[in-house]
Amino acid sequence: MALPSADTRVTYPAGELEAAARVVHVAPAGDAQLAIITDVTSFHPIDAGWPDQPADTGTLSVGGVDIAVRDAVVAATDGAVLAIGDDIPVRKGTEGWSFVVAHLVDEDAAVAEGDDVVIRADAPTRRALSLGHTACHAASLALNQALATRWSKTARQDALGNPDFDGIAIASSRIEPHGSVDRYRLNKSLRRAGFDAAGLADELETLGDAVTRTISSWVAAGGSVHVERDGDLLTDRRRWVADLPDGIARIECGGTHVTSLAELAGARVSLELGDDQGTPVLTMRTRVAADR
Ligand SMILES: [Zn+2]
């Protein structure tokens, strides 16, 4: 079976849950699983390059039979090999390589190249992760604002004109259902760039409350959120766009989101200071009230 020579088209950035698709390739994926590649998908996959938002859960339906999707992972092919997740040897955009969504299913699933399928992502799971992801970006901007007075030199600015602490210091970002966990390394190069971390340990509660209050004011204003994109392929650049009281904010983002900041009602942020082999690490936990 020929490997696909085009990137997968994706509809999840627009909030779609269901897609009618054609299977273009089926390959063994290890762990008694098959990788199903389709021309289009509504399934958000995890990206090993920046694994912030987990994959959707849901099914792939063939002839009315639902097959559980065990995982969905970004994969890449040069026409000779299909490399899945961490095994991808090249960067996105490398000439001669296509980037695709691999839907992983049990190896005894009755699905073949050429099949017409319906892909369905689970709505409650998607919503919980979208809430978490929108909250994550709002919290990062609010954190930049709360830390702005700690910069003594001109730093790169964020979407609202504050020094971009989040963009400069981020080590990892994990989206969870109804929340997120962001880790920032307060290393020497950050301090040389002009960030003063002195006394931070004593201000964590005050800072967390300030971030929470800023998000609350944005929730009250109720601005819209959407994903802007350069095209409908998996590799096309996408941005989170939020209408905030201080202006329109744009952040590069491949994930899924809710459509209004009003949905983050009850969001709370807490900060912790830890240590990774001598480097201080600031952890920000963001939680949104679960749907009633
Ligand atoms: Zn994002």
Side-chain angles (χ1 to χ4, degrees), residues 58-111:
T59 58
L60 191 148
S61 172
V62 189
V65 178
D66 284 347
I67 297 166
V69 177
R70 304 297 181 192
D71 203 355
V73 189
V74 173
T77 175
D78 61 354
V81 298
L82 178 70
I84 298 174
D86 285 330
D87 293 336
I88 297 175
V90 294
R91 287 174 166 276
K92 279 202 191 82
T94 301
E95 196 169 339
W97 285 80
S98 301
F99 281 74
V100 297
V101 176
H103 309 80
L104 303 185
V105 302
D106 293 343
E107 64 181 353
D108 59 356
V111 55

Side-chain angles (χ1 to χ4, degrees), residues 156 164-172 183-187 190:
R156 187 175 92 201
D164 191 7
F165 173 84
D166 173 81
I168 295 166
I170 190 89
S172 70
R183 291 199 161 81
Y184 303 97
R185 292 175 67 81
L186 311 182
N187 55 20
L190 182 73

